[in-house]
Amino acid sequence: MRAGTSRGPFFLREWLPEGDEARDQALIGAIGASDPLQLDGVGGGSTLNSKVAIVSRSSQPGCDVDYLFAQVGVGHRSVDTRPNCGNMLSGVAPFAIEQGLVAAQDGTTKVRVYNVNTGSRIDVAVRTPGGRVTYEGDARIDGVAGTAAPILLNFLDAWGAVTGKVFPTGRRIDLIDGIEVTCIDAAMPLMIVRAADLGVTGTEKPAALDANTSLLDRLEGLRLEAGRRMGLGDVSDSVIPKPVLVSPGTSDNSITSRYFTPHKCHASHAVTGAIGVASAFALPGTVASGSSREPGRHGLAVLHPAGRIDIEVDVAGRGQEATVEGAALVRTARKIMQGELHLPDYVFSRPQAQRDADSPFPRKGLTIIVPTRAGGGNDTMARIIAPKLASLLGQDVLVDNRAGANGAIASDYVAGAPADGHTLMFGYVGTHAMNPALQRVKYDPIHDFEPVGMVGSSPTLMVAHPEKGAPNIHSLMVLLKNSPRSFSYASAGEGTPPHFAAELFQLSSGTSMASATFEGAAPAIADTVSGRSQIMFPSLFTAHPFIKAGRLRALAVAGPKRLEALPAVPTLAELGVPGVDVTQWYGMFAPAGTPADVIDRLNQALNEALSDPQVVERFERQGAKVHPGPAAALRERVRGDLARWTEVVAAGKLARQEAPALALD
């Protein structure tokens, strides 16, 4: 169902496996949480579309149904049932009525919902003409296209539901790291900060706030301390409290809010978060306080990036004794589909720890940072070995693509990550030899990393579009000498193997081609397959599927000998173009300073994964070879190749003065 401005599956509790562990694994599989794109589930690649409602008959006196909300991870296997979601709440009553948990009345049906997450009650009014739920109507909410039947949510006792206090720290304003914040538990635990106190207006678009990494880091630091002061403990792995930036609204009865989830700005606003913001706005003495409110019901508006949420707030008492006793607002919902969800057996098999009981590593999930976009050779290899490592290490292993600046963004990130073995880099010859040889980078490829071990290697090919490229090397060279730059080559960025191979080819052959640069091999080879670029020097691992399908023509091997996979394809040296020898190798790195025992454990697991027959077969099927071995072998490979490519750059006068700016991809 689409419920409010969120979306996700609704389950009766009896439809899910018994036990919280099995239940959570089912939800992870249903949403497809392990993949940021959630291709293997019904999620939408966003926290707003990765939500779950679990409904059952209520065990609470005076309540009709129990509602347990679950926030499922995006790109990581996690299920958090600590927060609540008021948007998903708007679909609970229609779902319960349709499933026969509540008898429908003619006209309007009222359902009292008990929120299991927070222990609070909400009265929900649903339109049921003729005793049937209708989703059709003329109510409109900002952030959702079209109109639908109104669903009235009346929150009865959401204040202090999670922590036991509306102001869990005992104060309406706390000072954290020099910044005034309000910690409030009103439908959702929040940490509210004035936008101006953090150097922003609070009216920025979500994308602009998400791109402000210093702001996000500052917010997270404040949130972690606020969570501790609110009695929530270490909230680094929790989505609560949610951070909120507030600024003045357009009238005395409105306030502008930017709500974070918690590491990304919400495209609109959470309902529970809006109640918390409106409560802080209605009460005196908070960072969000508006004009003084008399006791009674007040119509307030929370302005968000997609519009506004109108809330009726009941205030009792005056001054510091004032409290909020109720809040009501209108949402809408729509049933999208109903049917069976098919889950593979493996989603119920969490990796079991296979480590020494006395060792603290690994104590949480691992992340492999890939310096290229999804779909390239690096990404594919990383995703082949990640599940094997997860099984061997007993922890989830997430692949995180951080493309940009020819691998420098990912390299710089890992170099500065905690040296505990939980953040790794899928580096390769481009990040640790070629790019540092070509231009100044902020990281040291030798001293800023601790090698874990070689992963594999793949030779480099020269390929052409079968129709728009030249049929062979000799024809290409004739055409280029008669008409320089009449062909263009695609590269994965300056300082990458495809770029170096193309430069060496031009130097050795005395030709000149135009250059089309991309952030990664995947978009570069796609450009060549389409014919917009005619030539590329990809790894065999990247190019092999396209060669087999006839979408690319292999012209030559950029290496010392012919390949078993393509025995009829000559080397460039055979064709009179010597010196183009580019082997693409891949290795796993940890930040410098990672303890030796952790490196040994990672190296052991990596070698075991690379010895798995399925991994070997998948590598070899696409023209790559695995290279299990000691960490020292990777260290020597980096030193040797960095020296070699530094000499190549000097001899060919290829050096750039400085690296491109590290703009986030």
Side-chain angles (χ1 to χ4, degrees), residues 15-226:
W15 296 346
L16 294 168
E18 292 294 332
D20 291 353
E21 174 69 14
R23 176 204 69 194
D24 288 353
Q25 295 312 302
L27 301 185
I28 287 168
I31 293 294
S34 301
D35 174 13
L37 298 179
Q38 298 180 333
L39 296 176
D40 212 30
V42 299
S46 163
T47 56
L48 305 185
N49 303 328
S50 305
K51 300 185 175 187
V52 174
I54 302 171
V55 184
S56 58
R57 295 185 188 278
S58 184
S59 58
Q60 301 296 317
C63 295
D64 298 306
V65 296
D66 288 346
Y67 157 52
L68 176 67
F69 167 71
Q71 179 67 64
V72 183
V74 180
H76 53 91
R77 297 166 56 89
S78 66
V79 176
D80 194 348
T81 57
R82 286 171 286 186
N84 182 21
C85 178
N87 277 303
M88 290 293 281
L89 168 66
S90 60
V92 169
F95 174 76
I97 294 170
E98 290 197 342
Q99 295 302 321
L101 301 186
V102 178
Q105 307 299 311
D106 185 11
T108 299
T109 300
K110 292 185 178 180
V111 180
R112 178 159 289 184
V113 177
Y114 177 76
N115 178 233
V116 179
N117 310 75
T118 61
S120 60
R121 299 167 302 154
I122 309 97
D123 281 344
V124 183
V126 182
R127 284 190 180 177
T128 51
R132 295 175 63 89
V133 173
T134 180
Y135 297 96
E136 303 298 324
D138 55 6
R140 184 186 302 275
I141 62 173
D142 289 331
V144 177
T147 61
I151 298 172
L152 180 65
L153 309 179
N154 188 16
F155 288 77
L156 305 177
D157 49 11
W159 291 265
V162 175
T163 64
K165 297 179 181 179
V166 177
F167 296 103
T169 68
R171 293 173 292 276
R172 298 197 177 195
I173 292 181
D174 288 271
L175 191 67
I176 301 177
D177 195 21
I179 300 295
E180 288 189 335
V181 307
T182 289
C183 299
I184 187 170
D185 179 5
M188 172 72 72
L190 304 177
M191 179 202 70
I192 305 176
V193 187
R194 298 184 193 95
D197 289 348
L198 293 182
V200 293
T201 66
T203 59
E204 291 87 353
K205 299 288 187 183
L209 295 173
D210 290 343
N212 190 339
T213 54
S214 60
L215 171 69
L216 297 182
D217 290 343
R218 189 75 191 280
L219 267 181
E220 180 62 5
L222 295 173
R223 189 183 80 89
L224 294 177
E225 177 59 19

Side-chain angles (χ1 to χ4, degrees), residues 274-294:
I275 290 173
V277 171
S279 297
F281 182 47
L283 296 174
T286 77
V287 299
S289 296
S291 57
S292 178
R293 310 281 173 188
E294 291 296 314

Side-chain angles (χ1 to χ4, degrees), residues 404-582:
N406 310 325
I409 285 178
S411 302
D412 196 52
Y413 176 82
V414 176
D420 57 9
H422 293 95
T423 302
L424 305 173
M425 181 174 182
F426 197 89
Y428 74 120
V429 63
T431 55
H432 281 70
M434 292 180 168
N435 198 34
L438 182 70
Q439 53 201 347
R440 287 197 296 269
V441 292
K442 293 183 178 180
Y443 62 94
D444 186 310
I446 294 176
H447 298 106
D448 286 346
F449 298 90
E450 197 67 46
V452 172
M454 286 281 292
V455 172
S457 67
S458 181
T460 299
L461 290 173
M462 185 177 186
V463 300
H465 187 276
E467 297 175 0
K468 299 181 181 180
N472 54 59
I473 294 294
H474 294 302
S475 298
L476 175 65
M477 291 171 62
V478 169
L479 290 168
L480 286 173
K481 288 181 177 179
N482 289 334
S483 181
R485 301 178 64 81
S486 55
F487 285 81
S488 66
Y489 73 90
S491 85
E494 291 187 352
T496 62
H499 167 242
F500 263 93
E503 291 288 338
L504 290 175
F505 170 79
Q506 292 173 98
L507 286 170
S508 183
S509 63
T511 59
S512 177
M513 293 185 288
S515 172
T517 302
F518 300 86
E519 288 187 351
I525 203 162
D527 199 71
T528 311
V529 169
S530 71
R532 287 187 292 270
S533 296
Q534 297 80 43
I535 305 294
M536 187 180 172
F537 290 81
S539 68
L540 176 60
F541 189 89
T542 299
H544 200 245
F546 299 99
I547 295 171
K548 288 181 64 177
R551 303 180 70 185
L552 290 175
R553 175 186 291 122
L555 298 182
V557 177
K561 60 182 181 180
R562 297 194 182 200
L563 307 177
E564 292 182 9
L566 299 169
V569 179
T571 67
L572 281 168
E574 289 179 62
L575 299 172
V577 186
V580 188
D581 184 358
V582 181

Side-chain angles (χ1 to χ4, degrees), residues 191 238 335:
M191 179 202 70
S238 175
K335 182 167 68 174

